Amino acid sequence: MEHIEAIAALHDPVRRRLYAYVAAQGREVGRNEAAEAVGVARTLAAHHLEKLVEAGLLESGSRRLTGRSGPGAGRPAKVYTRTRAERVVSLPARDYRTAAELLAEAAERAGLDDGLRA
């Protein structure tokens, strides 16, 4: 169920574009960069990025994007990366045992198993 909820978080088109952008970068992405890339306001991007973190699709952290350090370097920016966790959803859930039983029954009815018996 957790995987379905995570995938459902991508229903919103802005959220989906933000996720696609961050995932494609392969590095940390700041809120400003993500907002500019998908053409939305920074506050809207921040909202959707946090929803993606809550859903477990992105991870967040913080670092200084300017490269400066020490006093006067400013506050670290929030950055996002794609989570390494894999999400898989199959609707309906795959039931290989039932599929195998149905296939075996169909083969038997069609007489396809006669060669195996001989």
Side-chain angles (χ1 to χ4, degrees):
M1 190 67 163
E2 170 190 335
H3 292 265
I4 292 172
E5 292 171 3
I7 302 293
L10 296 173
H11 175 71
D12 184 280
V14 172
R15 201 169 296 160
R16 192 169 46 248
R17 289 193 329 259
L18 283 165
Y19 174 77
Y21 178 77
V22 172
Q25 300 314 301
R27 59 173 172 76
E28 294 176 325
V29 174
R31 289 175 170 174
N32 289 339
E33 178 187 347
E36 288 176 23
V38 300
V40 297
R42 183 189 177 285
T43 54
L44 181 61
H47 168 75
H48 285 295
L49 289 165
E50 287 304 314
K51 291 292 184 182
L52 291 166
V53 170
E54 289 172 19
L57 296 171
L58 294 180
E59 294 176 356
S60 66
S62 60
R63 73 175 175 87
R64 288 196 172 92
L65 298 176
T66 61
R68 296 181 359 195
S69 63
R75 192 171 95 193
K78 192 128 187 202
V79 291
Y80 301 86
T81 56
R82 187 178 72 85
T83 184
R84 296 193 190 287
E86 193 171 300
R87 306 284 188 223
V88 178
V89 176
S90 178
L91 298 173
R94 291 191 178 123
D95 182 358
Y96 293 109
R97 183 180 183 90
T98 301
E101 289 171 358
L102 289 171
L103 181 60
E105 185 179 322
E108 186 177 347
R109 285 186 183 170
L112 299 176
D113 63 340
D114 291 340
L116 293 175
R117 287 189 194 149

